[in-house]
Amino acid sequence: IVNGMKINALPLGTDISKPMSMIELNIEAVPEGLAPKDAYKLTLYFISKSGGYLVPVTRLVAQKPDAEMAIRELLKGPMNTGRLSAVFPEGTRLLDVKCDTGDYIQLNFSKEFSALKDNPEMEKLALKAIMLTVGQFEGTESVIIKVEGKEYVPSKGQEVVTTFVNEYE
């Protein structure tokens, strides 16, 4: 609906008659032994080495992904390490995950995660990558992050809630 009227195309002809959906961006190579037709798509966010911003990457996986799988894949880092970097400090592990159906996910990381506090810009990107990655799963309203079982408190001034430039209601 544009200016209160339902239209099927924009002035230069772009078709908007059907609902819009997310497209796959930066598709990684298909893992050996996985046929593309049998793969599920998962969007992960890694750090660009050239500019310190997050880049969406589509990873193909063998099982239908959920939030826990997505975080485990995020921990593996990008396949293209020439242009992208992992968002977690080296050695970070996911110790356990707790989910409350349709409400929150609680992620408990190893102590290496705390090294993010030494680099506020990296911490900001890592927290945002986590939120964007789990946010693709319907029903996950919030994320609780723990380190070795204790609640993680971001550095002073860090924004935990992810905001979007193109978000509107």
Side-chain angles (χ1 to χ4, degrees):
I1 297 180
V2 177
N3 292 331
M5 297 176 57
K6 183 176 181 190
I7 62 171
N8 291 323
L10 295 176
L12 297 177
T14 302
D15 181 7
I16 60 170
S17 63
K18 297 177 182 89
M20 294 182 192
S21 62
M22 192 167 151
I23 61 170
E24 295 84 35
L25 298 170
N26 306 312
I27 300 173
E28 291 182 325
V30 179
E32 193 172 317
L34 180 63
K37 66 178 180 58
D38 297 329
Y40 292 90
K41 295 173 182 140
L42 175 62
T43 303
L44 304 172
Y45 296 83
F46 298 111
I47 299 171
S48 165
K49 286 186 177 178
S50 66
Y53 53 88
L54 293 176
V55 176
V57 172
T58 301
R59 180 166 291 172
L60 301 176
V61 294
Q63 301 171 354
K64 184 175 181 179
D66 59 14
E68 179 177 353
M69 176 195 269
I71 294 298
R72 291 192 187 283
E73 290 295 322
L74 192 62
L75 277 163
K76 291 178 184 178
M79 288 183 184
N80 177 354
T81 56
R83 294 185 177 196
L84 300 173
S85 299
V87 297
F88 297 108
E90 191 171 327
T92 301
R93 293 172 288 118
L94 184 60
L95 301 177
D96 64 67
V97 176
K98 292 181 182 168
C99 296
D100 179 29
T101 308
D103 191 19
Y104 72 87
I105 183 168
Q106 180 178 286
L107 307 169
N108 185 22
F109 292 103
S110 62
K111 65 184 179 217
E112 291 83 0
F113 186 91
S114 292
L116 287 170
K117 288 190 178 194
D118 297 335
N119 184 340
E121 187 59 30
M122 184 68 144
E123 180 185 39
K124 178 180 178 180
L125 290 170
L127 294 173
K128 193 171 208 174
I130 291 168
M131 297 303 290
L132 289 169
T133 298
V134 300
Q136 70 191 289
F137 299 98
E138 197 170 313
T140 305
E141 299 298 322
S142 62
V143 178
I144 298 168
I145 297 174
K146 293 191 172 194
V147 175
E148 303 282 336
K150 296 179 184 161
E151 189 154 350
Y152 180 78
V153 178
S155 301
K156 186 177 169 106
Q158 289 294 7
E159 182 179 324
V160 178
V161 177
T162 302
T163 56
F164 301 92
V165 173
N166 62 347
E167 186 174 333
Y168 64 92
E169 299 206 18

